[in-house]
Amino acid sequence: MYFDESTGTNRALRYARNQKSPFEDEQDGNAIVEPIVFEDGFLSVPRTNPVLQEFLHYHPMNGSKFVEVNTEKDAQKEMDKLNSRVDALIEARQLDIDQVEALARVLFNTDTSRTTSAELRRDILIFAEQEPDMFLRAVKDPALKLNSKIKEFFNYKVLVFKNNKKDVYFNTDKNKKRMLNIPFGEDPYYVIASYLQSDEGIEVLKFLEKNLDNKK
């Protein structure tokens, strides 16, 4: 069945090689119905058989059970993927070490104090090649710097999780109090980043950055 948007009705589809339309309500009573056979997953439809072309075009399984081969469209998709990969690799190669470390903390949760610069750059380049779109989004994310800083707070234990990551506590010489509670089902780092960007959190962020500098 094919739902006709113009009439708001369902119309029965039927392929008959001796008819001029794939719609049953436009066919006469002498329809010769024959099976449509895909061989090795392919079906070649000649331009001299427009009825079968229309039948396949309107068929509700078009796009899910089978798709039309479009070499130009496929080539354009491949070009877009290759261009995205090239753009990501160029962007990755141009990053300074601070940006590389920030991305490594956010993307891989890496403790950059225990990893060499060459290892970090290699990992970032590999990621950029394999996941170019995700890499480019991460590079352009304005929250990248803050998220990287939060990872550092935990790596240097300026902040610590407690109660199975339900609570975040300060872990400085003069402050061991709870900073905030993580609501059930929420991403802890997203909650922390949101808090540190609030009016109250801005002063807390300065306090944490000062203590982080003292530990480095």
Side-chain angles (χ1 to χ4, degrees), residues 31-86:
I32 300 175
V33 179
E34 59 184 26
I36 300 170
V37 181
F38 286 73
E39 296 182 357
D40 296 326
F42 288 92
L43 174 67
S44 179
V45 183
R47 63 183 180 85
T48 55
N49 193 348
V51 176
L52 181 53
Q53 292 178 0
E54 284 188 73
F55 175 84
L56 294 170
H57 173 74
Y58 290 117
H59 198 285
M61 291 292 105
N62 184 12
S64 56
K65 194 71 172 180
F66 61 87
V67 294
E68 180 182 3
V69 175
N70 186 326
T71 54
E72 182 179 0
K73 185 177 179 180
D74 292 342
Q76 185 60 53
K77 285 184 178 179
E78 284 298 315
M79 283 182 58
D80 291 343
K81 288 181 181 179
L82 290 170
N83 286 331
S84 179
R85 190 177 301 167
V86 171

Side-chain angles (χ1 to χ4, degrees), residues 140 163-164:
K140 296 174 183 178
N163 301 325
N164 197 26

